[in-house]
Structure formats: structure tokens, C-alpha cells
Amino acid sequence: MKKFKTESKKLLDLMINSIYTNREIFLRELISNASDAVDKLYFKSLTDSDVQLSKDELAIHVGFDEGARTITISDNGIGMTKDELDKNLGTIAHSDSQAFKTDNAEQQGDDIDIIGQFGVGFYSAFMVADKVTVISKAYGADEAWQWESSGADGYELTPAEKDTAGTDIILHIKDSTDTDNYENFLDEYGIVAIVKKYSDYVRYPIQMEREKSRQKPEPDPKPEDYKPEWETYTELETLNSMIPIWKKQKSEVTDEEYNNFYKDKFGDYADPARVIVSRTEGTANYNALLFVPSHRPYDFYTKDYEKGLALYASGVLIMEKCADLLPDYFSFVKGLVDSEDLSLNISREMLQHDVQLRQIAKSIEHTIKNELSRMLKNDREKYEQFFQAFGLQLKYGLYSDYGMHKDLLQDLLLFPSSKEAGKLVTLAEYVDRMPEDQTCIYYATGESIARIEALPQTEAVKEKGYEILYFTENVDEFAIKMLMKYKEKEFKSVSNSDLDLETEEEKKALEEKSADSKSMLETMTKALEGKVSAVKLSSRLKKHPVCLSSTGDLSMEMAKTLNAMPGADQKVEANVVLEINPNHPIYERLMALSTADEETLGKYSKLLYNQALLMEGMQIEDPVAFSDLICELMEK
């Protein structure tokens, strides 16, 4: 018995138990190696005129014997000599395919697709087999050789009999135990499912003898009591589809074909809103086929939802959902990426540190963004439907990571506004139609458009002819706080205590009136101690007697959202101001009470504060006390 040349039992155990976490991977690896062997022979036929070969003759065969507990993967490729068996299989982690790919990079061309990433892949066979036998005959050689090993102790090389060039790999499957079940690898349907899952797009036919049934021919004449008879037969069936849809030119694929592929692959009942076909060459070479769904999955905002794109290497599935290829704000995108030169190391942990993978992810991010921008520009109705489904995710993306992605996402946002009822507006459209004297982007927050429309704080802004963005989702104001500015225009809430909309004359008149009302305002502030930081006169109000505003970065809506979050034990409070309309009849009543009955003024203060809370869509602290207070004041 020969020992492995450079590795030890410890390394082999580590490779099988750590790098490979899914046993069914072994079939993917061995089929990929077989594909490389076939490609090498085809390459030889293109570069050596003495090799007469038709590509249609090349194939990979998978068979199994349930009684003998064996699986056989055969190819009619280049085969291996004794020395090549010794070198390629006697040195763990040596990749002859990778070496071939590197040495022939310029000549390889589109007709050759050496996968070349599976240097350790052969040894994944030992996850399911207690013995592996390889019989190989090199193309043009007169003799065949057998390589056989039962694991890390070593291997034996002996002469063998084989009529044609190529390689047969025979796996002697382990017996099942209470904890490990290997029977699926000896089941026809189990094997077919694994091939379809991982190797469906290997470029050569993967064939298998499959047992089928058919009705026997009916006798002629047919007896009156004739009953149909059935017979079983075997038929060589090609298991894989071979040509990936994403490697075809877009002009060769119909919209219906893309839509059907999406629905079949990702289990959706509806056509996608957008199909994105991307082929990139340069620092990172890859093909991508991406889909923007037309509706939100039922589990999108649950812990069960998994983001990620299927990751392929030369048509071989590596990972069903590679989360690292998609940022969270584009997690709704479905699809796949196929790279011919991604230096894969099998495990998720190593993929996370792969430089090429990060480059691909960055490129895909911009591809998605650009496609969404085109949809927004060229198909506004469809984009608005998309935004209704996934706009919230874009807003979360703007807010997350301290606003790092604002330049990427800000132009994709839509908001309802006061300008056109029922229509959504982009930030760019808002700024483009701002009057010359408008200096800020105004917004209002509330549970619904109807609730916002009724807010007293919007009156003065609308009177000036300024448009107001309506924020109806909890994340809206948080996201805008991260954005801070758009095209040098600051965002300002209509509930900010300092809107600065007055003329100099209006400011002077309000200052004089406030001075006359000083005693009243102080009494009201004292009555509302702990609830508001101040009570002041306001010129923003037109028909309403009072409203609430806030100072500082934390608004009342933001505080409400934060306090409603799970685990919010320590409440946060906005710096609230109660504003009084000096042109409303209630003002005269308050002024009269400030000199005649301060106790009643305090009660009116609490009543007006609670009314302002209700108009703001906030809960009042004590509904019973509020009701009693109304009754008490009505009796006077």
C-alpha cells in the first residue's frame, strides 16, 4: 500500500468533516471532475488533428447497484495514466483540472469549460463510501490502471482491464446506522434529484439507465375479457438540461421562457416585475440572472425568510442561497450567479472572505440599482407597484448602517405628498418643483394620509404654497434623519417648533402679543409641567386653537415608535411644545382666565393639551380624567 504523499489522516478528516457539511455534495464533485475529463479530451480533439472525435459522443454515466451497495460514475474523457493517478489522487488537495485551466487559459475559449475548482472534491466520496475504486485508461494508452483506497491510510495502484479511454469511479457505500442514513444514495430517485439539484447545467449529458413501465401491445383479435398488461423496461435517460438559460443570449430567450424559469425555480405563481440579465467581464467574470418579484412573499418580514442568490461555478451549484451576494435592502431579489473563475473553497466561512465574491456582490448591487432606476424612469406604474411591495425595505436600507447607503438608495424612494392626491413623488421631483423662496423640504408624519391632511401643523406650510411629503410608515422619519439633506436642501418636519415661515412684520407682531401673554403662558406651562417644555403663541395655526410641536432631533412620532419597540423598558421623551393660536376665540378666554381664575386656566391647559394629543394621533394618558375634566368645565 502506498501512503498519501503530502497529507495525513488528520487533514483528510478535517477536509471531509469541516469543508463539506452536506454529504450529497460528493456526487456533484465527482460529476464535475468527470466533466473536466471529458472537456480535456474535447480540447485535445481541437488542438490535435490526430484525435478524431465528435462532441456528441462525449457523456457521463451514473449507475448504481443496490445489492452490491455501489454507485459508479463513468466518463469517456481523457482518462489517466498510472503516473497521473498517482499524482492526482495520491496528493490530497491537488487539482489537475485547475492546473490545466491555468496552463491553457488563452486557448480554452467558449467551447471548453473546465470547472477546475475541485482539488479536494474527489475525497468527498469518503463521506459516503468506505472504499473508493478508480479504474482509468488514458486516451491513446494501451493499458488501464486501478487506484483503490479505504481512506487516509493510503492507496493501492494495480493494473486493470478497461476497453475504452475514460474513468470509472466506483463508490462502495457505507452501511446505514442509527444516526447516519446512506440509503438515499442507493435510490434511483434520490440520485436523480441530487443530479438535477447540483449538476443540471453541466455541459455534457449525464445519463442513467432508468426503469420504466409501459403497456404491452394489445392482441389482435382482442378477447372480450382482455385486461391491459404492463411490462417494465430500462431506458438510457439524460438527467440534466445542460444549457443554462443564463448563458444564452437574451435575444435567444423569450419573456415567457424567463418567466417560466423564474416561477419554476423560485416557486412563485406570478411573473416577475423585472428580469435582469447581466454578463460581466473584467476583475470579476460572471453571468447573473436576477428577478425582481411583482409581489411581496408572505414570509418576507419573518425570521423564516432567507435572502440570497444561487451560486454556481461553471454551471455547478455551489450554494442554494448565498446571502453575501445581496445587501439586505435588495433582499427581495431572486436569482443566480454563475462564475467560471470564482476561487471557491466550498465552505460558507471561506466564501465570506473571498475577494472575488465581494467584487461580484458590489457589481450586482449597482446592477440592481440601475435596473430599478430604469424602471422608475421608463415604467412608472410598474415601479410604483414594486415600491408598494418593497419600498419599506429600501427605506430600512437607507436607515441602516448609519446612512452609508444613502447615495445609492435616495433616488429610489417615493412618498405621497400634499401636491397631488394619491400620487407618489420622488425627492428629485419634489426639489425640482420647489418655489424659489422655499429653502427646506417639508414633511409631516402620521398613521395615514387622511390623518396627516387634518394636522393643524400643515396649515401654514400649505398656505405658503409649499409641498409637504407625507410619512406614513414608522421608518420614514428615521431614514430621512440619516439622509439629512437632499441636493443641499434640509428636511424639516411641519411639527418642528421653529418653522420660520413668518415675515419680519409677523414675527414682530407675535413677539408683542407673546409679551402681553407672558403671565398666561407661564401659568399654562406650570400646569403642564412634565408634559411640555413650554407653552407659546404660534402664527402657524389658522383655524385650529392649539397644536403640539417639538424641538431637537427626536420628534413625537419617533419617540412613539421607539417606545413601542420590543424591549423598550426605558421610555424616551420628545421635547414637546404646546402652541396656542392667538387669533382663535379660545385665546381670549385663556387670557381672561389668567387674571380671574388661574385654577380653571390650569384645567383648560390640560384639556387643550389632551385635545392636541388626539389631533396628533397620540394616546392620552388618562381617558377617564380627560372625560371628567370636560364634564367639569361644561358645568361652569
Side-chain angles (χ1 to χ4, degrees):
M1 177 178 287
K2 301 183 70 172
K3 300 291 184 182
F4 287 117
K5 291 179 180 178
T6 61
E7 307 298 335
S8 65
K9 178 175 172 50
K10 182 177 180 181
L11 176 58
L12 186 57
D13 287 342
L14 176 67
M15 184 270 299
I16 293 174
N17 296 319
S18 297
I19 293 181
Y20 295 99
T21 55
N22 185 356
R23 285 194 182 116
E24 63 187 26
I25 292 295
F26 83 92
L27 193 54
R28 177 197 76 180
E29 302 294 307
L30 297 180
I31 288 175
S32 298
N33 286 340
S35 175
D36 282 354
V38 173
D39 245 332
K40 289 174 190 175
L41 182 58
Y42 182 59
F43 178 82
K44 189 175 181 67
S45 73
L46 299 176
T47 56
D48 187 344
S49 58
D50 293 335
V51 180
Q52 300 298 315
L53 180 71
S54 169
K55 193 173 184 180
D56 295 337
E57 301 171 24
L58 301 172
I60 300 163
H61 188 272
V62 179
F64 72 100
D65 185 327
E66 188 175 2
R69 297 190 68 80
T70 60
I71 298 177
T72 302
I73 298 94
S74 303
D75 67 71
N76 55 355
I78 194 71
M80 287 179 278
T81 65
K82 176 184 178 182
D83 289 341
E84 287 170 336
L85 280 169
D86 195 24
K87 177 183 177 183
N88 297 337
L89 304 187
T91 306
I92 298 175
H94 173 78
S95 176
D96 183 60
S97 292
Q98 182 62 56
F100 179 93
K101 186 176 182 179
T102 303
D103 293 342
N104 298 281
E106 294 183 2
Q107 297 174 276
Q108 189 172 315
D110 293 335
D111 286 336
I112 307 297
D113 191 15
I114 297 294
I115 298 169
Q117 303 290 349
F118 303 89
V120 296
F122 171 79
Y123 296 91
S124 64
F126 288 104
M127 288 192 296
V128 299
D130 51 25
K131 184 171 72 173
V132 178
T133 303
V134 180
I135 300 172
S136 190
K137 184 177 182 180
Y139 184 84
D142 296 326
E143 56 186 3
W145 288 88
Q146 175 177 295
W147 180 100
E148 190 168 84
S149 174
S150 297
D153 290 337
Y155 58 95
E156 291 182 348
L157 265 175
T158 56
E161 295 293 328
K162 191 173 186 342
D163 295 334
T164 58
T167 301
D168 300 330
I169 302 175
I170 304 102
L171 280 65
H172 302 263
I173 303 301
K174 298 175 182 178
D175 291 326
S176 296
T177 65
D178 291 339
T179 56
D180 298 309
N181 184 8
Y182 299 97
E183 303 313 305
N184 188 50
F185 306 127
L186 293 168
D187 173 74
E188 176 183 332
Y189 294 100
I191 293 172
V192 171
I194 295 172
V195 172
K196 291 291 291 181
K197 179 178 180 180
Y198 292 102
S199 304
D200 195 34
Y201 304 113
V202 168
R203 58 196 284 124
Y204 296 102
I206 302 171
Q207 299 175 331
M208 184 177 183
E209 291 282 353
R210 301 198 66 184
E211 188 175 277
K212 300 184 178 182
S213 64
R214 62 190 172 196
Q215 186 177 339
K216 290 182 178 181
E218 297 180 356
D220 188 17
K222 187 168 58 175
E224 291 185 5
D225 59 348
Y226 172 77
K227 294 182 179 179
E229 295 182 1
W230 295 80
E231 64 180 356
T232 59
Y233 68 101
T234 59
E235 182 178 85
L236 188 65
E237 181 179 311
T238 297
L239 307 181
N240 59 323
S241 56
M242 290 182 281
I243 302 175
I245 191 173
W246 59 88
K247 284 195 174 182
K248 297 179 181 179
Q249 293 296 321
K250 194 171 183 179
S251 58
E252 299 174 0
V253 185
T254 65
D255 291 342
E256 184 180 5
E257 287 174 320
Y258 278 130
N259 292 342
N260 288 339
F261 176 83
Y262 165 74
K263 288 185 283 191
D264 291 342
K265 180 78 174 176
F266 301 103
D268 201 345
Y269 61 85
D271 292 340
R274 213 69 170 180
V275 178
I276 307 171
V277 180
S278 176
R279 293 180 174 87
T280 304
E281 295 182 359
T283 308
N285 300 310
Y286 69 90
N287 290 335
L289 179 57
L290 311 174
F291 302 92
V292 178
S294 58
H295 64 101
R296 186 169 58 230
Y298 72 92
D299 62 345
F300 188 64
Y301 286 113
T302 71
K303 63 180 181 180
D304 296 325
Y305 182 81
E306 287 184 77
K307 71 164 185 170
L309 303 177
L311 180 61
Y312 288 79
S314 294
V316 178
L317 179 65
I318 302 303
M319 190 179 296
E320 287 190 274
K321 288 191 176 179
C322 183
D324 298 313
L325 285 172
L326 279 179
D328 285 343
Y329 39 88
F330 290 152
S331 61
F332 49 82
V333 173
K334 306 286 187 180
L336 54 91
V337 173
D338 188 356
S339 175
E340 295 180 2
D341 56 3
L342 189 64
S343 48
L344 294 171
N345 291 293
I346 312 303
S347 71
R348 288 178 181 270
E349 293 75 15
M350 300 178 99
L351 273 172
Q352 289 171 354
H353 301 289
D354 192 288
V355 174
Q356 287 236 332
L357 193 74
R358 291 199 296 271
Q359 291 172 338
I360 291 173
K362 196 67 180 174
S363 177
I364 286 173
E365 177 187 58
H366 286 285
T367 297
I368 295 171
K369 192 265 182 178
N370 293 338
E371 189 63 32
L372 292 177
S373 297
R374 280 192 287 271
M375 181 165 41
L376 173 60
K377 180 180 178 181
N378 302 323
D379 195 345
R380 181 62 172 256
E381 182 179 353
K382 183 169 282 189
Y383 184 83
E384 290 188 7
Q385 292 172 356
F386 151 78
F387 195 82
Q388 292 292 345
F390 300 109
L392 186 62
Q393 195 66 12
L394 300 183
K395 295 172 185 178
Y396 280 129
L398 190 66
Y399 172 69
S400 64
D401 297 329
Y402 303 99
M404 284 178 57
H405 316 294
K406 61 184 181 181
D407 292 337
L408 183 81
L409 299 174
Q410 61 186 5
D411 287 316
L412 298 176
L413 302 182
L414 293 176
F415 298 99
S417 84
S418 59
K419 198 74 173 178
E420 297 175 87
K423 291 192 176 181
L424 299 172
V425 60
T426 67
L427 296 178
E429 290 165 346
Y430 180 102
V431 171
D432 288 345
R433 62 196 191 198
M434 282 173 54
E436 288 185 11
D437 63 336
Q438 185 177 344
T439 58
C440 299
I441 299 173
Y442 294 103
Y443 67 87
T445 59
E447 293 179 358
S448 65
I449 293 175
R451 180 65 65 85
I452 295 173
E453 289 276 6
L455 286 176
Q457 296 92 324
T458 63
E459 292 177 336
V461 181
K462 290 178 181 177
E463 188 178 74
K464 285 282 186 181
Y466 300 157
E467 186 174 4
I468 303 171
L469 297 178
Y470 291 164
F471 292 173
T472 58
E473 294 180 312
N474 290 336
V475 72
D476 288 347
E477 193 169 9
F478 290 91
I480 289 302
K481 291 290 185 182
M482 288 296 177
L483 196 54
M484 292 186 290
K485 291 183 179 181
Y486 181 79
K487 293 186 177 181
E488 301 306 313
K489 303 292 185 182
E490 290 187 3
F491 290 88
K492 182 168 282 191
S493 170
V494 298
S495 295
N496 189 293
S497 64
D498 182 22
L499 281 186
D500 195 24
L501 294 174
E502 307 94 337
T503 63
E504 290 302 318
E505 291 78 9
E506 288 171 335
K507 289 179 182 178
K508 186 176 180 181
L510 187 62
E511 288 174 3
E512 292 175 356
K513 210 158 195 177
S514 296
D516 295 339
S517 310
K518 183 178 179 182
S519 176
M520 178 199 75
L521 297 174
E522 288 177 349
T523 300
M524 294 184 71
T525 301
K526 186 177 180 181
L528 296 173
E529 188 174 0
K531 295 179 174 58
V532 301
S533 60
V535 179
K536 71 174 188 178
L537 299 186
S538 171
S539 60
R540 82 166 83 209
L541 295 167
K542 304 305 173 185
K543 63 180 181 180
H544 292 87
V546 292
C547 74
L548 293 175
S549 62
S550 60
T551 60
D553 292 330
L554 186 66
S555 71
M556 289 178 288
E557 280 291 334
M558 291 174 72
K560 176 183 172 183
T561 300
L562 291 171
N563 290 331
M565 293 176 69
D569 298 328
Q570 190 170 356
K571 299 296 183 182
V572 296
E573 300 290 343
N575 197 19
V576 179
V577 175
L578 178 65
E579 299 189 11
I580 308 293
N581 183 355
N583 299 314
H584 194 280
I586 196 69
Y587 168 75
E588 298 300 333
R589 175 64 173 155
L590 297 175
M591 284 293 288
L593 288 172
S594 68
T595 57
D597 190 349
E598 287 192 359
E599 182 180 353
T600 302
L601 177 59
K603 293 177 180 179
Y604 267 100
S605 302
K606 293 174 183 177
L607 178 66
L608 292 171
Y609 169 74
N610 282 311
Q611 285 180 327
L613 281 176
L614 291 173
M615 285 189 289
E616 195 69 27
M618 313 287 275
Q619 286 188 342
I620 57 178
E621 297 172 6
D622 190 340
V624 174
F626 176 61
S627 177
D628 290 343
L629 185 58
I630 292 175
C631 293
E632 181 183 342
L633 292 174
M634 288 177 67
E635 291 172 356
K636 291 192 175 183

